[in-house]
Amino acid sequence: MKQYVVFFAVLILIVSCKSESKKEEATLVETKELTVAEKIAEAHGLESWNNVTKIDFIFNVDRGDNHFERSWQWEPKTNNISMISTKDTVRYNRMNMDSTAIKTDGGFINDKFWLLTHFNLVWDEGIELSEPIKEIAPISKKELNKISMTYVGDGGYTPGDAYDLYYGDDYLIKEWVFRKANAKEPSLITTYEGYQDFGGLKIATIRYNEDKSAKFYFTGVHVTTD
């Protein structure tokens, strides 16, 4: 009889330990601290991304009297993409691209990166992220948080490029520095302005370089959700 009592006591102890262990694991999952990259992505509306079925946007660049633009329709759930111009419309799927599509896709990746850099921090493979630091931003001359992302390896259209992202305590990006091939000197520095909410996505619709001789901006932005 004593053996049965001891057996059940041990059994209850094991079950109790397993239960406590599961509770501890659940607590760890619930309280897991987000990385800086995840906090930046979340601040820009990452939680709304799963509801997005289509994004329409026009990427514009003004330099002096010169104007350039590319118009896109992107269905992220199917990877269907359309580039619309006054001359033609190119439609393709990123899972099945021919030589024409590959040429067009380089423009799409560039323009989409400008639109959603904050999400590429957590989407892209083959990147290295620095530890966040406080630093004086190059344009505003304000002290901001800074994190750098560098594309390593041979993948993508521009391997080796690096980006320094300056963000506030609200984790919204305020400025960025593009460094081609991870050079020490910047290739381009711009602001992040004109934030608007599109279907839960926070997008900076206007960017200026240091002397405002160039303006990079988005028009015709429309986000379709489920």
Side-chain angles (χ1 to χ4, degrees):
M1 183 65 179
K2 288 183 179 180
Q3 289 179 339
Y4 285 114
V5 171
V6 172
F7 172 77
F8 283 117
V10 172
L11 181 60
I12 291 170
L13 180 61
I14 292 173
V15 171
S16 176
C17 288
K18 286 184 177 180
S19 177
E20 289 300 319
S21 178
K22 287 181 179 178
K23 287 181 181 178
E24 289 175 5
E25 288 176 6
T27 301
L28 287 173
V29 171
E30 290 175 2
T31 60
K32 180 185 176 183
E33 179 71 15
L34 295 177
T35 65
V36 169
E38 289 169 337
K39 288 179 180 179
I40 293 173
E42 290 289 342
H44 289 81
L46 183 63
E47 64 180 11
S48 298
W49 179 254
N50 287 337
N51 300 324
V52 175
T53 57
K54 187 173 73 168
I55 301 180
D56 298 83
F57 66 96
I58 303 170
F59 180 58
N60 304 266
V61 181
D62 289 346
R63 293 180 184 271
D65 296 330
N66 297 317
H67 174 77
F68 167 83
E69 67 179 55
R70 277 191 294 238
S71 180
W72 301 97
Q73 288 184 349
W74 174 30
E75 299 173 32
K77 292 184 184 297
T78 62
N79 269 319
N80 288 327
I81 296 167
S82 299
M83 185 186 76
I84 304 164
S85 68
T86 55
K87 296 180 180 180
D88 195 10
T89 297
V90 178
R91 294 185 175 88
Y92 66 99
N93 187 283
R94 295 204 75 236
M95 303 301 291
N96 183 25
M97 296 193 293
D98 57 19
S99 57
T100 300
I102 290 174
K103 183 178 179 180
T104 303
D105 193 59
F108 169 72
I109 291 299
N110 177 81
D111 299 354
K112 186 265 292 182
F113 185 86
W114 275 78
L115 185 76
L116 302 173
T117 311
H118 37 271
F119 293 163
N120 287 89
L121 280 167
V122 296
W123 281 347
D124 288 358
E125 297 179 355
I127 63 172
E128 289 182 352
L129 298 174
S130 70
E131 290 295 320
I133 60 171
K134 291 277 190 180
E135 190 171 286
I136 300 299
I139 295 181
S140 67
K141 306 305 179 186
K142 296 179 180 179
E143 185 178 67
L144 294 172
N145 305 290
K146 171 189 168 184
I147 188 171
S148 299
M149 59 188 299
T150 306
Y151 285 83
V152 297
D154 300 322
Y157 289 102
T158 54
D161 288 349
Y163 301 84
D164 304 320
L165 306 179
Y166 292 84
Y167 60 96
D169 292 336
D170 57 1
Y171 291 95
L172 293 179
I173 300 172
K174 313 297 183 183
E175 299 179 25
W176 82 341
V177 175
F178 163 58
R179 294 182 288 111
K180 186 173 179 59
N182 199 17
K184 290 184 178 180
E185 294 300 317
S187 304
L188 178 66
I189 305 173
T190 75
T191 61
Y192 262 61
E193 304 178 37
Y195 269 100
Q196 295 184 43
D197 189 296
F198 299 96
L201 309 183
K202 291 189 177 72
I203 296 173
T205 58
I206 304 172
R207 325 283 171 84
Y208 289 102
N209 66 347
E210 293 173 280
D211 60 4
K212 291 196 172 183
S213 61
K215 179 183 178 182
F216 310 83
Y217 57 105
F218 296 96
T219 55
V221 179
H222 181 74
V223 175
T224 304
T225 58
D226 289 327

